[in-house]
Amino acid sequence: MWIINKTVNEILNLFLPENCLGCGQKNTYLCPECVNKMPAPPFGKDSRVLAATSYENPTIKKAIHALKYKKAGKIALPLAQLIEVRLHSIFNERGSTCLPVRQASIIIPVPMTKKRLRQRGFNQAEKIARHLSDITSLPLLTNVLYKNKETASQVDIKSREKRLKNLKNCFCVKNPEFIKDKNIFLLDDVFTTGATISECRKVLMKNGARRVTGVVVAC
Ligand SMILES: [Zn+2]
């Protein structure tokens, strides 16, 4: 039964009209009122990961679900804006007041395997990262971190320990000279157990990054 529901959902999403996912207001996927109502993220999940809001919020849940379908690609922009507004101080702290630090900050999206990318047609984390890079003027690097091994779907693995094992040696770094001594904002859509971000951080640090801060829409 859930398979039928899933298919119906997918078809509905293809025809997603441009209405606010929270209140239905026209000509926007996320209206400013609904964005303002989004709660702060829960504390204490991982101090090295910053989230714009809580995944408990039904509007953000819908937005992230919709983000994964091509027709709803426009949702990446309001999600990037949400991140920038909520985490403004961290981009700013390392920003305009301190140029050398700003020059050392870059954005890297959590990658997908080539195969997965072909199936979906785009990487939703990269879509958000691209907009965030435009908004903050921090450079986006997509030629550094790669996922070279397909894994069992993380959704089916409940424990963090098993997820970490599942992801072990999946990620690799090319062009390490681009991340040497850099502050990296590692972008993903959702933080669940943190296994993906933790594994990416390990690989980036091993290859010379100075600091890796996870940045997600929701956790
Ligand atoms: Zn709304």
Side-chain angles (χ1 to χ4, degrees):
M1 188 61 192
W2 70 271
I3 293 174
I4 296 168
N5 281 339
K6 194 168 173 257
T7 310
V8 168
N9 274 337
E10 280 171 12
I11 292 167
L12 285 176
N13 269 303
L14 285 177
F15 298 101
L16 191 74
E18 198 168 327
N19 286 354
C20 174
L21 292 162
C23 67
Q25 192 183 130
K26 282 203 173 97
N27 302 322
T28 173
Y29 284 119
L30 283 176
C31 78
E33 290 81 16
C34 287
V35 167
N36 283 338
K37 273 188 247 163
M38 282 176 188
F43 282 111
K45 276 207 170 173
D46 182 336
S47 59
R48 292 172 303 176
V49 176
L50 303 162
T53 186
S54 161
Y55 195 58
E56 294 299 306
N57 178 265
T59 307
I60 208 71
K61 242 182 210 170
K62 272 195 226 168
I64 284 168
H65 178 76
L67 177 74
K68 293 182 178 168
Y69 300 90
K70 264 185 190 165
K71 294 275 180 181
K74 284 183 188 167
I75 289 174
L77 175 60
L79 292 180
Q81 288 166 334
L82 174 71
I83 290 176
E84 203 280 328
V85 168
R86 292 286 167 94
L87 306 175
H88 178 76
S89 59
I90 74 138
F91 296 117
N92 222 35
E93 172 209 350
R94 296 161 196 180
S96 54
T97 52
C98 184
L99 198 60
V101 179
R102 185 174 181 81
Q103 281 168 344
S105 292
I106 53 176
I107 300 174
I108 293 182
V110 168
M112 280 178 172
T113 59
K114 272 190 191 157
K115 186 183 164 200
R116 190 94 181 83
L117 198 58
R118 266 199 307 274
Q119 286 168 350
R120 181 166 287 168
F122 62 95
N123 172 355
Q124 73 272 14
E126 187 179 325
K127 274 188 176 275
I128 301 171
R130 210 164 273 286
H131 287 297
L132 191 64
S133 163
D134 286 345
I135 300 168
T136 58
S137 306
L138 294 176
L140 171 76
L141 289 190
T142 55
N143 60 348
V144 170
L145 186 62
Y146 291 87
K147 189 174 182 189
N148 50 16
K149 202 173 81 185
E150 202 51 74
T151 44
S153 170
Q154 290 286 87
V155 178
D156 299 328
I157 306 170
K158 297 297 174 218
S159 91
R160 186 168 193 276
E161 200 183 326
K162 281 187 182 157
R163 282 187 175 210
L164 275 170
K165 207 169 170 191
N166 183 41
L167 285 165
K168 209 163 169 42
N169 303 323
C170 280
F171 297 99
C172 69
V173 163
K174 291 179 189 167
N175 308 311
E177 65 276 17
F178 294 154
I179 58 167
K180 189 157 174 27
D181 295 327
K182 299 282 186 188
N183 292 315
I184 298 172
F185 293 113
L186 178 65
L187 204 120
D188 207 357
D189 50 359
V190 182
F191 177 98
T192 42
T193 63
T196 301
I197 287 181
S198 162
E199 195 58 28
C200 289
R201 175 186 291 120
K202 214 176 355 178
V203 177
L204 291 165
M205 294 299 286
K206 215 167 73 184
N207 281 277
R210 195 164 74 95
R211 175 160 48 176
V212 178
T213 306
V215 173
V216 298
V217 178
C219 79

